[in-house]
């Protein structure tokens, strides 16, 4: 329901029932309620259910019911709600209530993804990890703009003594461009030059300097220093800050402008090889090569060595979605990241009529603070041979200098052709629009709002429109959503492992940019405005979020392997969005699946303390390669070993997710054998909890496992039987058939170790 319509109804309701109901409405306030989780009655399956039941038990006053806003699982135990005073009095007397705080307001102080991920300056992962201090993140990308404020080294301690890298000189770049934040910068272009690229003729820099802005953006996302009052033309205004703001950065440039921004495999391997030698702790690669057998994939080969050295390699899943089998970087020793939205959007406020008869809001990312006040608006209703805003439906004599309302979707070509001053589009597709779509002053409204505008314009002839641009909206719902372009699994070359591993913010992310590179298109001729910060989207943006979070986890758990850190991220991820439904797929508008979002959306606060991990060593991956029927030669290329054994060949890798490939028979059965490792100091007991849909039978043995203390291990087996004729069956070659979850729940403890169990049709590749 449109907010203005709701409040209009509320206004007339208050007039009809008198002042007593008005006083009830005036008495309603938003509160944050802290609860004692240990007081939750055992009949509730989870704390959210308990909170909702508590709210529903409160009496209404003149028909006014409590309104639930959010359930908090991380930064505090409790929830927020809108309550009347009498309802609050009832709540405060209930068992389990700890404290209540009224809503407060302050100035926006962040560009929001840290807040969306639960990162707080005074509690949790940030202070415990000392904001990533002493961690070194190597970014393999398009270079870096060292003068950006995101790379200031204010109050940074000296460069770690273990650092072995350097800051090389080149075109428009020298060693003085590095500091205690940007501690290394190198450029790798020999392969591209051999392929015929003349870097100087492309206007790119034959040096680590960033010509495109992409590498600057990803670097600052991972570990940028805080920058106050950052924005994209006043959108998303706040303090821009990286995931690990005290971590060090090293740039390895391998991408140069050649109209497609391709990287040579030779350059990429050289860059990763150098990063290993320099001493990075994390590698972030927002690029990928076409999926080939692993020994032919430069990132997969180099990442294996990095893994053996204890380096965490995080890669973008690719932007080939929404179709299946589009995953890039699917090697199991790589953490593969898909992209989702956050609960922030950008808007304009539209007022119709000279005295503000109707005010609505819609999506807009038009970069100029344009004064639109009482400009004539055109809507050609009545008898028409074609929809308004269809190609060549507008007469320039009717619309020149006016705003146009289009009730049949987005057609910027037609409004531009006809010389309109701007346009308001009624569309279901506003969620897909990006900053570059707003080269002129457009506003996109959802059809429900569009119908209100249409009704008004039919009745009010010769009316005007006023528009206020550059608005940022927080708390949008639902969020996160799997964005349409994010590549989906299964991986064509390694379908026995569920990919992507995890979802992270990757839509309209604000971060540093090359200030001499045009970012905001303006006008019909697409001139470009410049900015120090940009809103960019892609799995490229999701990848450095996970790289930065991995740096924080590594700072806290120095002895954890890359597999342990990936496991912590995966088994603590969430699949429920901020409207308490399964994370949806932007393309279909319905619940997604683990082939879309992997184990779920990253949750840094929980990942710091996962309880148990599925750990892996190099030999485990070798056993997997053997199980894939890789030849000795192929394995030698990947592992750099000649004295390995395939006696333990197995496709059942000790991974934090479970994948069953269905065959053409009606029933498929598979037995998984896994090992869990405790990462807490005390002894513990866990019980298996299976959430399996119809058509999937899951049996876990033993159903309970015990651990003596930190680094003690326990084995279990899980038998999964899938009936392809029952349940969520879609017999397309690229469709998931069924999925459920296995959780290990700590007895008398807080830890829940959750893994998706997925059954899908997939090709059976051979190396």
């Amino acid at each position: 329901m449109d907010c203005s319509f709701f409040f209009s109804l509320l206004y007339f309701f208050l007039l009809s029932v008198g002042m007593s109901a008005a006083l009830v409405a005036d008495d309603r306030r938003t509160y944050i309620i802290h609860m004692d989780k240990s007081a939750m009655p055992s009949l509730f399956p989870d704390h959210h259910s308990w909170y909702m039941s508590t709210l529903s038990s409160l009496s209404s006053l003149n028909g006014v019911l409590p309104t639930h806003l959010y359930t908090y699982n991380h930064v505090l135990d409790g929830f927020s709600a809108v309550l009347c005073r009498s309802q609050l009095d009832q709540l405060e007397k209930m068992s389990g209530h700890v404290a209540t705080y009224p809503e407060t307001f302050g100035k926006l102080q962040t560009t929001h993804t840290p807040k969306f991920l639960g990162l707080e300056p005074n509690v949790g992962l940030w202070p415990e990890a000392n904001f990533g201090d002493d961690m070194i993140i190597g970014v393999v990308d398009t270079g870096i703009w060292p003068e950006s404020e995101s790379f200031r080294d204010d109050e940074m301690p000296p460069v770690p003594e273990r650092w072995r890298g350097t800051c090389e000189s080149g075109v428009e770049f020298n060693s003085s461009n590095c500091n205690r934040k940007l501690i290394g910068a190198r450029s790798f272009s020999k392969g591209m030059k051999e392929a015929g690229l003349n870097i100087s003729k492309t206007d790119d820099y034959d040096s680590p300097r960033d010509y495109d802005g992409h590498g600057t953006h990803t670097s600052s996302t991972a570990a940028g220093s805080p920058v106050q009052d950052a924005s994209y033309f006043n959108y998303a205004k706040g303090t821009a800050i990286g995931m690990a703001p005290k971590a060090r950065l090293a740039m390895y440039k391998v991408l140069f402008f050649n109209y497609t921004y391709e990287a040579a495999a030779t350059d990429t391997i050289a860059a990763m090889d150098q990063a290993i030698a320099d001493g990075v702790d994390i590698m972030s690669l927002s690029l990928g090569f076409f999926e080939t057998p692993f020994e032919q994939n430069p990132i997969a080969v180099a990442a294996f060595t990095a893994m053996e050295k204890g380096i965490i390699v995080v890669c973008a899943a690719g932007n080939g979605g929404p179709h299946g089998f589009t995953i890039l970087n699917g090697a199991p020793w790589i953490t593969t990241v898909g992209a989702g939205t956050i609960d922030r959007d950008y808007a304009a406020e539209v007022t119709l009529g000279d005295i503000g008869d109707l005010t609505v809001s819609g999506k807009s990312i038009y970069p100029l603070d344009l004064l639109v006040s009482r400009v004539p608006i055109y809507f050609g209703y009545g008898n028409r041979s074609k929809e308004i805003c269809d190609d060549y439906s507008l007469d320039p004599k009717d619309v020149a200098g006016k705003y146009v309302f289009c009730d049949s979707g987005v057609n910027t070509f037609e409004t531009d052709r006809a010389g309109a001053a701007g346009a308001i589009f009624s569309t279901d597709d506003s969620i897909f629009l990006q900053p570059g779509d707003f080269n002129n002053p457009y506003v996109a409204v959802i059809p429900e709002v569009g119908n209100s505008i249409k009704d008004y314009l039919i009745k009010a002839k010769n009316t005007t429109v006023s528009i206020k641009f550059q608005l940022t909206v927080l708390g949008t719902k639902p969020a996160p959503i799997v964005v349409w372009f994010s590549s989906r699994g299964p991986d064509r070359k390694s379908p026995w492992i569920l990919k992507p591993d995890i979802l992270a913010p990757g839509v309209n992310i604000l971060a540093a940019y090359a200030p001499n590179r045009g970012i905001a298109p303006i006008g019909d001729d697409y001139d470009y405005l410049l900015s120090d910060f940009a809103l960019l989207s892609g799995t490229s943006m999701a990848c450095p979020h996970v790289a930065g979070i991995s740096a924080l986890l590594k700072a806290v758990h120095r002895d954890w392997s890359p597999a342990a850190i990936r496991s912590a991220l995966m088994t603590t991820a969430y699949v429920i969005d901020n409207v308490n439904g399964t994370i949806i797929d932007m393309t279909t508008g319905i619940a997604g699946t683990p082939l879309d979002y992997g184990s779920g959306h990253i949750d840094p606060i929980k990942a710091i303390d996962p309880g148990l991990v599925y750990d892996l060593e190099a030999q485990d991956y070798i056993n997997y390669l053997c199980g894939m029927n890789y030849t000795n030669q192929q394995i030698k290329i990947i592992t750099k070993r000649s004295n390995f054994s395939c006696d333990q060949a197995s496709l059942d890798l000790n991974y934090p997710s479970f994948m069953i490939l269905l065959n053409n028979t009606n029933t498929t059965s598979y037995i998984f054998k896994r090992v869990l490792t405790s990462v807490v100091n005390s002894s513990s007991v866990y019980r298996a909890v299976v959430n399996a849909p119809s058509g999937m039978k899951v049996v876990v043995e033993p159903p309970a496992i015990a651990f003596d203390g930190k680094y003690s291990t326990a084995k279990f087996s899980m038998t999964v039987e899938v009936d392809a004729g029952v349940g969520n069956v879609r017999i397309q070659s690229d469709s998931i058939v069924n999925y459920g979850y296995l959780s290990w729940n700590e007895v008398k403890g807080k830890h829940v170790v959750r893994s998706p169990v997925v059954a899908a049709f997939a090709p059976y590749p051979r190396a």
Side-chain angles (χ1 to χ4, degrees), residues 539-693:
T539 55
S540 284
M541 284 63 249
C543 171
H545 278 88
V546 176
I549 297 301
S550 297
L552 296 176
L553 295 178
K554 186 70 173 179
V556 176
H557 303 289
R558 299 297 181 106
D559 54 346
W560 282 13
S561 69
I565 288 177
R566 180 178 58 231
S567 176
L569 292 171
M570 292 174 64
T571 62
T572 59
Y574 63 87
V575 297
I576 302 300
D577 61 22
N578 62 359
V579 293
N580 297 311
T582 301
I583 294 171
I584 68 171
D585 176 355
M586 181 182 289
T587 308
T588 64
I590 62 175
T593 75
L595 292 183
D596 303 315
Y597 50 67
S599 292
H601 193 280
I602 188 172
D603 187 338
I605 306 307
K606 283 189 175 180
I608 193 176
D609 183 20
L612 308 174
V613 297
Y614 293 83
D615 208 354
L616 287 161
E617 298 178 347
Q619 184 59 49
D620 298 306
Y621 295 116
I622 293 173
N623 294 340
Y624 180 74
L625 294 173
C626 295
M628 291 179 69
N629 290 334
Y630 270 46
T631 66
N632 288 349
Q633 181 66 22
Q634 289 173 310
I635 295 173
K636 183 177 180 180
I637 291 171
I638 297 166
T639 66
K640 275 71 68 183
R641 299 186 187 188
S642 56
N643 58 341
F644 57 87
S645 170
C646 278
D647 292 343
Q648 302 296 320
S650 175
L651 292 172
D652 185 18
L653 192 61
N654 196 46
Y655 216 72
S657 57
F658 300 85
M659 189 78 178
I660 303 103
L661 298 186
L662 298 172
N663 53 34
N664 293 325
T665 62
N666 214 34
T667 301
T668 300
S669 182
Y670 195 83
I671 299 176
F672 297 93
K673 296 182 182 295
R674 300 289 168 91
V675 179
L676 283 163
T677 301
S678 174
V679 289
V680 297
N681 291 320
S682 59
S683 61
S684 56
V685 175
Y686 287 78
R687 293 191 182 278
V689 176
V690 175
N691 179 3

Side-chain angles (χ1 to χ4, degrees), residues 66-87:
T67 302
H68 173 265
L69 298 182
Y70 297 101
T71 291
Y72 303 114
N73 297 304
H74 317 304
V75 295
L76 60 89
D77 295 336
F79 58 94
S80 58
V82 182
L83 306 170
C84 299
R85 181 69 231 186
S86 61
Q87 294 165 342

Side-chain angles (χ1 to χ4, degrees), residues 139-144 166-171 173 184-193 199 204-210 250-256 266-268 270-271 274 278:
V139 181
V140 182
D141 214 299
T142 66
I144 197 163
T166 189
C167 196
E168 70 179 27
S169 297
V171 177
F173 201 99
R186 297 176 185 264
S187 176
F188 299 85
S189 59
K190 292 180 180 179
M192 290 304 299
K193 289 176 179 177
I199 295 175
D204 203 335
Y205 305 100
D206 196 359
S207 74
R209 183 169 292 278
D210 190 3
M251 170 53 64
Y252 299 86
K253 181 177 178 179
V254 299
L255 290 144
F256 296 83
T266 50
D267 297 333
T268 303
Q274 187 62 59
D278 289 347

Side-chain angles (χ1 to χ4, degrees), residues 171-187:
V171 177
E172 300 291 333
F173 201 99
N174 57 58
S175 59
S176 64
N177 289 123
C178 288
N179 56 22
R180 290 172 295 179
K181 162 61 74 173
L182 178 61
I183 62 174
R186 297 176 185 264
S187 176

Side-chain angles (χ1 to χ4, degrees), residues 317 327 336-338 487-489 498-502 594-599:
I327 283 289
T336 312
V337 187
S487 291
R488 270 53 167 194
L498 176 64
K499 291 285 182 173
D501 292 312
I502 202 161
L595 292 183
D596 303 315
Y597 50 67
S599 292

